[in-house]
Amino acid sequence: MKFTSELIHFTVSRDSCGITEQFPLIQILIPHVMGLKEQLKDSSKDEEDVKAIARLFADMGDSYVDLIATGSGDAMQIVNALLEVTSHSEFDISSMTFNFWHHLKRNLTGRDSYTSCGSEVSIEAERNRRMQLFRPPFEVLVSLVSSRVEYPEDFHTFSEEDRRDFRYARYAVSDVLLDATDVLGGDSTLKILFMKLIQACGSGAEQNQNWQPLEAALFCIQAIAKSVSIEEKEILPQVMPLLPRFPHQEQLLQTVCSTIGAFSKWIDAAPAELPILPPLVDILNKGMSTSEATAAAASVAFKYICEGTTSLSTSF
């Protein structure tokens, strides 16, 4: 596998004379790697072997992202295979694909990727074609990575290093979600995450029995706040009234407070007939007195809320 990886890297290196010259070799390498896909799900495989195979797929995606972004039939098979890697239960394996999704997003949204199309009309048409073609994979991606941020049941036993790794994983997922918003749009991504929130609400979370999925969905929602339109009228008017119903479990309360702060501009711009702010202020007051972590999140949220003087002055 190491030799295959070295060949993949060689085909895109400065010494290779370019992808065009190496295309015959690439046409051999891609089917070879794709033939290993079933081994990703083979429970009898050693974990290190699975990681090596996953790394091959990640290398293939990163190296050939320009080819993949054209959206050919073969390219979409590679994308689907990379989604399978992303869906792997081990975060160390799943996260190997995160760079690929970032590079694919940049390729799809960057103007330089379309200069060979010629006229502005042709560029826009090709860009729209690719963006529509890759919407379904990015929608799946959002659903897959959003579950990666759930607090483990045994989080209270984690060492400081384990907690640091968990925080890093959540930040990494946030970056992937933001990449997805560039392809799907913030409002469309919000809809996907809202469905996760609704599912969590039906899993006993509101009775504090299973708060982790609820916190995870909210964490993802607040992570994309800057990408959501301030005029969003479908999802956020449903999200905000849910927040006061959630239990005051510490990590969940911290994320609720952060969510309020993240959407402070939307709250300020919300129609006056929506009595959104007073219940949210009650939550922030609770956060101020629960723990240092919740107090810090509530303080930041209060700061952002107070900067929106319009809603603050008309809500009481």
Side-chain angles (χ1 to χ4, degrees), residues 261 264-265 268 300-312:
S264 59
K265 290 184 179 179
D268 181 49
V300 172
F302 265 130
K303 174 180 179 293
Y304 292 150
I305 289 292
C306 289
E307 288 173 353
T309 55
T310 303
S311 60
L312 192 63

Side-chain angles (χ1 to χ4, degrees), residues 88-106:
H88 197 279
S89 58
E90 292 293 328
F91 182 78
D92 287 348
I93 293 175
S94 172
S95 60
M96 289 179 185
T97 64
F98 287 5
N99 279 339
F100 163 73
W101 298 114
H102 175 68
H103 293 148
L104 179 59
K105 179 270 297 189
R106 290 184 61 182

Side-chain angles (χ1 to χ4, degrees), residues 54 70 144 172 213 235 239-240 259 278 289 295 308:
T70 61
L144 288 176
I235 302 301
V239 171
M240 295 302 164
T259 301
S289 60

Side-chain angles (χ1 to χ4, degrees), residues 24-313:
L25 177 56
I26 292 172
Q27 288 181 307
I28 295 173
L29 289 171
I30 289 178
H32 173 69
V33 176
M34 291 293 288
L36 301 172
K37 186 175 70 169
E38 292 304 314
Q39 297 186 41
L40 287 167
K41 298 178 287 187
D42 188 347
S43 58
S44 66
K45 276 283 183 184
D46 180 82
E47 183 179 347
E48 292 305 313
D49 288 340
V50 175
K51 284 184 177 181
I53 294 170
R55 173 53 62 193
L56 272 183
F57 276 93
D59 286 345
M60 179 174 65
D62 288 339
S63 299
Y64 304 142
V65 66
D66 290 345
L67 296 175
I68 294 170
T70 61
S72 68
D74 290 342
M76 299 313 292
Q77 290 183 28
I78 297 173
V79 169
N80 290 332
L82 284 160
L83 280 172
E84 289 195 31
V85 180
T86 306
S87 71
H88 197 279
S89 58
E90 292 293 328
F91 182 78
D92 287 348
I93 293 175
S94 172
S95 60
M96 289 179 185
T97 64
F98 287 5
N99 279 339
F100 163 73
W101 298 114
H102 175 68
H103 293 148
L104 179 59
K105 179 270 297 189
R106 290 184 61 182
N107 192 292
L108 293 173
T109 58
R111 181 176 174 80
D112 291 347
S113 305
Y114 303 96
T115 52
S116 63
C117 295
S119 68
E120 288 294 329
V121 173
S122 298
I123 288 174
E124 190 62 23
E126 178 61 13
R127 184 179 185 277
N128 289 338
R129 183 191 73 83
R130 294 187 188 184
M131 293 288 276
Q132 289 301 313
L133 186 64
F134 282 95
R135 282 189 71 86
F138 272 89
E139 290 171 349
V140 173
L141 177 66
V142 170
S143 293
L144 288 176
V145 300
S146 60
S147 62
R148 299 290 178 179
V149 302
E150 280 191 25
Y151 275 92
E153 292 285 349
D154 59 347
F155 182 76
H156 63 283
T157 68
F158 276 23
S159 66
E160 184 54 40
E161 182 179 357
D162 289 338
R163 290 176 181 241
R164 185 168 57 249
D165 289 344
F166 179 66
R167 288 194 295 270
Y168 165 78
R170 282 161 68 97
Y171 293 143
V173 167
S174 295
D175 289 341
V176 175
L177 291 172
L178 287 172
D179 284 335
T181 65
D182 287 339
V183 176
L184 303 174
D187 293 5
S188 294
T189 307
L190 177 64
K191 290 180 182 180
I192 299 171
L193 296 174
F194 178 63
M195 294 308 299
K196 294 283 187 178
L197 183 64
I198 293 301
Q199 291 169 12
C201 287
S203 65
E206 292 184 58
Q207 288 74 45
N208 209 17
Q209 297 170 350
N210 189 21
W211 60 269
Q212 289 90 342
L214 186 57
E215 190 279 336
L218 274 181
F219 176 86
C220 293
I221 287 173
Q222 62 90 21
I224 66 164
K226 291 183 178 179
S227 299
V228 176
S229 168
I230 199 171
E231 290 88 20
E232 204 284 325
K233 298 178 181 178
E234 180 182 354
I235 302 301
L236 289 178
Q238 299 180 69
V239 171
M240 295 302 164
L242 289 175
L243 301 184
R245 295 165 48 185
F246 297 155
H248 293 158
Q249 190 279 337
E250 182 180 349
Q251 284 91 352
L252 175 56
L253 180 58
Q254 180 182 355
T255 300
V256 169
C257 292
S258 295
T259 301
I260 295 170
F263 286 101
S264 59
K265 290 184 179 179
W266 181 89
I267 293 169
D268 181 49
E273 60 268 20
L274 291 178
I276 291 174
L277 190 56
L280 300 184
V281 170
D282 290 341
I283 297 174
L284 297 181
N285 283 330
K286 179 64 178 178
M288 292 295 293
S289 60
T290 298
S291 71
E292 288 187 11
T294 60
S299 296
V300 172
F302 265 130
K303 174 180 179 293
Y304 292 150
I305 289 292
C306 289
E307 288 173 353
T309 55
T310 303
S311 60
L312 192 63
S313 62

